[in-house]
Amino acid sequence: MRKNSRRRSKTSRRWRVVAMVALLCAIVFCVLFYQYRGRHLRKWLCEVSYPMGYDIHGIDISHYQGDIDWEELRRNGVIDSCPIRFVMIKATEGVDKVDEKFERNFRLAREHGFTRGVYHFYSTQSPAINQAHAFIRKVQLEQGDLPPVLDVEKKPKEQSRDDFRRDVLTWLLMVENHYGVKPIIYTNYKFKLDYLDDSLFNQYPYWIAHYYVDSLEYQGPWKFWQHTDCGRLPGVDGDVDFNVYNGSYYDLLQMTLK
């Protein structure tokens, strides 16, 4: 009888421990849900949300995606039941860095029927004039391509706001003069509001990065929205950024070089 009593006592203690662990897990989950609900929960889980009301979807790529299987992407590249229409491709960074997959991606994107765009990653360590020359030397846009893109996300700490804005404008004007079309500016919406939010820069089309939200909080006009950095697609290894275009496919084609 005593042995049986001891066994029941041990079993009872085990169940109490299990119950306490389950209760603790439930409390932790509730706290996390409350703290990270909405965008924070989606970010924590890296959950991909699909913005409502947009039919034109695309991705942006660089060497981080490795060798893309373009045929697989063309046949099965679907986001929210919509085929991928455009691909933004990294070309250059600073004055001497060329993305190692640029030429391959640039050629194969067009061969597989995607509307392609090309971007330069702005460096805080190099003069804007030299960066513009580096992009122009490397990138030969063709009819049907989207306007060139300047990816600008940081301001040099030692540089004044006015000097930084002047340098960004220098790059934009040089590239616009060369290709005959206003470049697209890519940045996150807070950076846009902090440094580029006036009539001078608002004349350029915008590609805004804002993740894990149901709607873009930026209230100004924009053309593209990068809404997640953890999308998955057939033909692409690992995560890839998902984007939407703010308009119809006809509107997108009207943006391209003539």
Side-chain angles (χ1 to χ4, degrees):
M1 291 293 292
R2 290 181 180 177
K3 289 183 179 179
N4 291 337
S5 178
R6 283 197 295 271
R7 291 195 189 99
R8 286 195 295 270
S9 178
K10 289 180 180 179
T11 301
S12 178
R13 284 197 297 271
R14 290 195 190 100
W15 279 110
R16 283 198 296 270
V17 170
V18 170
M20 291 178 64
V21 170
L23 178 61
L24 181 61
C25 289
I27 293 173
V28 170
F29 176 81
C30 291
V31 170
L32 287 173
F33 182 80
Y34 177 79
Q35 184 176 358
Y36 293 99
R37 67 190 187 279
R39 80 178 69 171
H40 299 296
L41 182 61
R42 284 200 292 270
K43 181 176 181 180
W44 183 57
L45 298 174
C46 201
E47 175 187 335
V48 178
S49 61
Y50 300 104
M52 299 291 291
Y54 303 100
D55 298 324
I56 310 304
H57 295 260
I59 59 175
D60 57 278
I61 58 173
S62 69
H63 66 277
Y64 288 112
Q65 278 70 46
D67 286 335
I68 293 172
D69 185 337
W70 286 94
E71 184 60 27
E72 178 70 12
L73 184 63
R74 183 190 66 81
R75 287 188 286 107
N76 298 309
V78 175
I79 300 176
D80 194 24
S81 302
C82 298
I84 292 172
R85 297 289 194 178
F86 63 91
V87 179
M88 300 293 200
I89 305 164
K90 183 179 180 180
T92 53
E93 179 176 342
V95 297
D96 56 4
K97 293 182 181 179
V98 178
D99 191 273
E100 63 189 65
K101 299 297 182 181
F102 168 65
E103 292 185 1
R104 181 179 190 274
N105 289 334
F106 188 64
R107 173 175 55 84
L108 292 177
R110 189 178 186 89
E111 288 181 5
H112 287 81
F114 297 104
T115 299
R116 63 187 182 183
V118 179
Y119 70 91
H120 170 82
F121 188 87
Y122 187 84
S123 171
T124 60
Q125 307 298 319
S126 308
I129 292 176
N130 296 350
Q131 294 191 55
H133 282 308
F135 181 82
I136 290 168
R137 283 195 303 268
K138 188 61 183 177
V139 178
Q140 306 298 320
L141 295 176
E142 301 175 8
Q143 181 179 349
D145 291 336
L146 290 166
V149 180
L150 177 63
D151 178 343
V152 55
E153 305 174 35
K154 293 182 179 180
K155 182 186 81 66
K157 293 181 179 180
E158 68 280 1
Q159 191 175 35
S160 70
R161 184 176 183 274
D162 288 341
D163 287 346
F164 169 70
R165 285 160 51 85
R166 180 203 62 212
D167 285 353
V168 171
L169 188 62
T170 296
W171 192 99
L172 294 170
L173 292 174
M174 289 180 62
V175 171
E176 179 180 351
N177 182 65
H178 178 79
Y179 295 100
V181 63
K182 286 191 177 301
I184 298 166
I185 301 176
Y186 167 94
T187 192
N188 66 73
Y189 88 103
K190 290 184 178 180
F191 193 89
K192 166 73 169 75
L193 296 178
D194 288 342
Y195 298 107
L196 306 173
D197 193 34
D198 61 25
S199 58
L200 181 64
F201 289 99
N202 286 343
Q203 61 184 307
Y204 293 92
Y206 268 89
W207 175 13
I208 301 293
H210 195 187
Y211 305 153
Y212 317 115
V213 292
D214 295 321
S215 60
L216 188 57
E217 294 183 12
Y218 174 67
Q219 298 300 312
W222 56 274
K223 291 293 185 181
F224 300 90
W225 170 18
Q226 186 184 77
H227 58 87
T228 186
D229 59 351
C230 57
R232 291 297 182 100
L233 284 173
V236 182
D237 292 334
D239 294 339
V240 63
D241 300 333
F242 283 179
N243 303 268
V244 294
Y245 175 72
N246 190 18
S248 68
Y249 187 51
Y250 174 81
D251 295 333
L252 177 71
L253 295 181
Q254 292 306 300
M255 281 192 71
T256 60
L257 276 65
K258 306 298 188 293

